[in-house]
Amino acid sequence: MSMTNEQLRQLLIEGTPEQIQDAIDNIHPADILDIINNSEEDLNIILPKLPNDVIASIIEEEEDEDKYNLLEPFLKERQKAILEEMSDDEIADLIGELEDEKQIKEVLDNLDSENQDNVKQLLSYEPDTAGGLMSTEFISIHSNNTVLETLWYLQKYAEQDAKYYLYVVDKSKVLKGVIALRDIVTSSFGTKIIDITNPNVKTLFYKDDQEEVANRFIKYGFVMMPVVDEENHLIGVVEVDDVMDVMEDETTEDINLLAGVSGEERVDSTVLESFKSRTPWLIVNLFTAVMAAAVVNQFSATIAKVVSLSAIMSIVTGMGGNAGTQSLTILVRGLSLGEIDHSNAFKIFCKEIMVGVLTGVIIGVIVAIGSMFFAGNPYFGLVAGLAMLLNMVAANLAGFIVPVILRKMNIDPALASGVFVTTVTDCLGFFFFLGLATLFLPLLR
């Protein structure tokens, strides 16, 4: 029977070391992390009572920027023991968030020479690449070994690092292929590993961007992928749990950027961080609003003669903005997932035009009827309906063209697309509506 959070909290605070040890194997470290993050008092009581390997697991579950806060209170010898239980990639993530050189040196000094080298190597890779995501703790099998020799090796050294799939290398650590554990245990002892190895292994290059890494995991549905260098040496592995974090971060970043907010801002950001994140794009939006106002100003004489135009024109631009945002959201996500390329770009372009025409006709007819009754003039309804149709088509085209052009310019489409699409729909919406109104002016008065 599972424990509630309160029952778990009481056990960790009031339980004896023996009671905690008996229960700890059935408790996920993330559940303990939730408890200690809710109260600094609980953190100070609970964390020192836990075994080093459990503390290491809790630190690994914590956000990268907060990992060191859990490690720092312990004395040096306890820190060293905890770090010995952590994987090298998690230690690299911990160090990567530190800016104090003294703290970085203290953490590195608590590692043995081999782990120091591994961590320093991981820190040399860009954090948002396959190299920055990978772990150097994995099991590789020599291609000239037999099945029997491999089983002996796995029993002696693999422990928890043995996965469903193992990677096969030669003496120079060049990746030769992948082999499933089931193929090892179902083959005769004398079989050479290379004879049952699948050479068609999907790999990641250590410089691959983390978004591309996530897309490949989504495409192939793997739980782990090998990382290689320029000579196809196996240098690490990326596991699906690391990729899940990447997908969450990338999705959050895209949503933020589409709204004109920094990809780094979170709900718990400080006032200053949120101010710096939002203000630049608000200023950009101000200039685009000025552009739209300039278009309206060109038709001030028309508005003065038919005042009721001012009540309808915001509907035309607002609906165009909504349609552009719909198209933009689908296109930006499609580009992010690699779903759009030269083979299907024109087809998607034509689809967006057709969607714009169909939605424009439906919404245009509704707006035309409403505007006709509002002004008591059928020509007023015709102007509003045509303007709505044109702006809906323009919005869908802008939602496609803007992110594609930004991607060609090596600019993140999520970063600025929203501003440009809104500018197009506002400026063209006013131009279509007021321009048509000017043409039909004698019939509107």
Side-chain angles (χ1 to χ4, degrees):
M1 183 177 177
S2 60
M3 287 187 287
T4 65
N5 275 1
E6 183 56 32
Q7 289 172 330
L8 176 57
R9 177 178 175 273
Q10 290 300 320
L11 170 65
L12 295 174
I13 291 176
E14 301 174 2
T16 64
E18 292 76 16
Q19 290 173 322
I20 294 174
Q21 186 64 57
D22 288 341
I24 210 73
D25 290 338
N26 299 317
I27 299 171
H28 197 284
D31 293 330
I32 302 177
L33 181 63
D34 287 341
I35 291 171
I36 62 178
N37 275 345
N38 286 333
S39 167
E40 187 173 347
E41 182 181 354
D42 288 349
L43 185 153
N44 295 330
I45 295 173
I46 294 171
L47 206 58
K49 297 173 65 174
L50 300 176
N52 294 331
D53 60 328
V54 176
I55 297 174
S57 297
I58 293 171
I59 293 175
E60 291 181 352
E61 290 290 333
E62 181 62 283
E63 297 293 331
D64 290 346
E65 61 269 23
D66 296 321
K67 291 182 188 295
Y68 184 73
N69 295 336
L70 297 180
L71 179 69
E72 186 180 25
F74 294 103
L75 297 175
K76 182 176 180 178
E77 288 305 313
R78 188 86 189 270
Q79 285 188 12
K80 184 174 182 179
I82 293 169
L83 289 169
E84 286 176 355
E85 301 289 344
M86 292 178 63
S87 60
D88 292 338
D89 58 315
E90 293 290 349
I91 297 174
D93 291 340
L94 183 154
I95 293 175
E97 294 293 329
L98 298 179
E99 297 179 358
D100 189 324
E101 293 295 331
K102 182 180 178 182
Q103 292 176 341
I104 294 173
K105 185 177 184 303
E106 287 176 352
V107 175
L108 287 173
D109 287 345
N110 281 329
L111 305 176
D112 59 37
S113 57
E114 181 181 355
N115 286 342
Q116 273 192 28
D117 293 339
N118 288 338
V119 170
K120 288 177 180 178
Q121 182 64 40
L122 288 170
L123 289 170
S124 69
Y125 301 117
E126 292 294 328
D128 56 354
T129 64
L133 291 173
M134 74 181 186
S135 169
T136 55
E137 297 176 5
F138 58 91
I139 298 295
S140 58
I141 306 298
H142 286 295
S143 57
N144 61 347
N145 282 358
T146 64
V147 166
L148 182 59
E149 290 169 333
T150 300
L151 289 171
W152 282 342
Y153 175 79
L154 291 176
Q155 289 176 357
K156 186 174 182 180
Y157 296 109
E159 298 178 358
Q160 74 274 16
D161 291 325
K163 307 294 181 181
Y164 297 110
Y165 294 94
L166 302 174
Y167 298 108
V168 180
V169 297
D170 63 16
K171 291 181 178 180
S172 300
K173 301 295 183 183
V174 173
L175 181 63
K176 308 304 291 186
V178 62
I179 186 171
L181 280 176
R182 67 174 179 270
D183 292 331
I184 295 176
V185 300
T186 58
S187 299
S188 61
F189 288 164
T191 303
K192 288 285 188 181
I193 287 297
I194 194 63
D195 293 336
I196 53 175
T197 294
N198 178 5
N200 185 27
V201 57
K202 303 297 182 183
T203 62
L204 301 169
F205 184 51
Y206 74 94
K207 289 185 179 179
D208 286 345
D209 183 77
Q210 63 178 11
E211 194 167 0
E212 171 61 20
V213 172
N215 290 341
R216 300 202 70 184
F217 269 86
I218 293 171
K219 179 178 181 179
Y220 295 113
F222 293 151
V223 296
M224 184 169 67
M225 290 186 73
V227 182
V228 297
D229 62 13
E230 290 86 352
E231 286 78 38
N232 206 42
H233 293 121
L234 178 60
I235 59 174
V237 295
V238 175
E239 299 188 49
V240 70
D241 57 339
D242 297 316
V243 176
M244 289 173 65
D245 293 337
V246 169
M247 288 189 285
E248 181 181 349
D249 291 342
E250 291 290 339
T251 302
T252 301
E253 181 181 15
D254 285 348
I255 293 172
N256 283 1
L257 293 175
L258 282 170
V261 177
S262 166
E264 300 299 322
E265 185 177 345
R266 297 294 184 270
V267 292
D268 57 353
S269 297
T270 65
V271 171
L272 183 60
E273 288 171 342
S274 295
F275 170 77
K276 290 180 178 179
S277 165
R278 303 180 192 185
T279 304
W281 286 109
L282 288 175
I283 294 173
V284 172
N285 281 331
L286 175 62
F287 283 105
T288 61
V290 170
M291 292 174 60
V295 173
V296 174
N297 187 59
Q298 295 299 311
F299 297 95
S300 57
T302 300
I303 297 173
K305 293 174 182 176
V306 185
V307 179
S308 55
L309 291 171
S310 60
I312 303 299
M313 62 185 187
S314 60
I315 298 176
V316 176
T317 57
M319 289 302 298
N322 291 337
T325 300
Q326 289 178 334
S327 177
L328 172 66
T329 302
I330 299 299
L331 264 293
V332 168
R333 194 60 185 155
L335 288 169
S336 174
L337 295 175
E339 296 173 344
I340 302 173
D341 53 34
H342 294 294
S343 65
N344 63 4
F346 183 70
K347 180 181 178 181
I348 296 172
F349 176 76
C350 293
K351 185 207 79 170
E352 289 300 321
I353 293 178
M354 289 305 301
V355 171
V357 171
L358 292 174
T359 55
V361 168
I362 297 299
I363 302 300
V365 168
I366 296 172
V367 169
I369 294 172
S371 300
M372 180 181 67
F373 284 107
F374 171 76
N377 186 328
Y379 292 103
F380 193 97
L382 178 64
V383 167
L386 284 175
M388 181 62 73
L389 169 61
L390 292 172
N391 203 31
M392 293 288 274
V393 174
N396 278 41
L397 288 177
F400 177 91
I401 293 171
V402 169
V404 170
I405 291 176
L406 291 175
R407 172 58 65 87
K408 291 285 186 182
M409 298 170 63
N410 292 321
I411 300 174
D412 188 343
L415 178 62
S417 295
V419 174
F420 291 120
V421 170
T422 301
T423 302
V424 170
T425 56
D426 283 354
C427 291
L428 289 183
F430 287 132
F431 177 77
F432 291 144
F433 182 61
L434 296 176
L436 288 169
T438 302
L439 290 176
F440 285 85
L441 187 60
L443 300 173
L444 299 180
R445 291 192 292 178

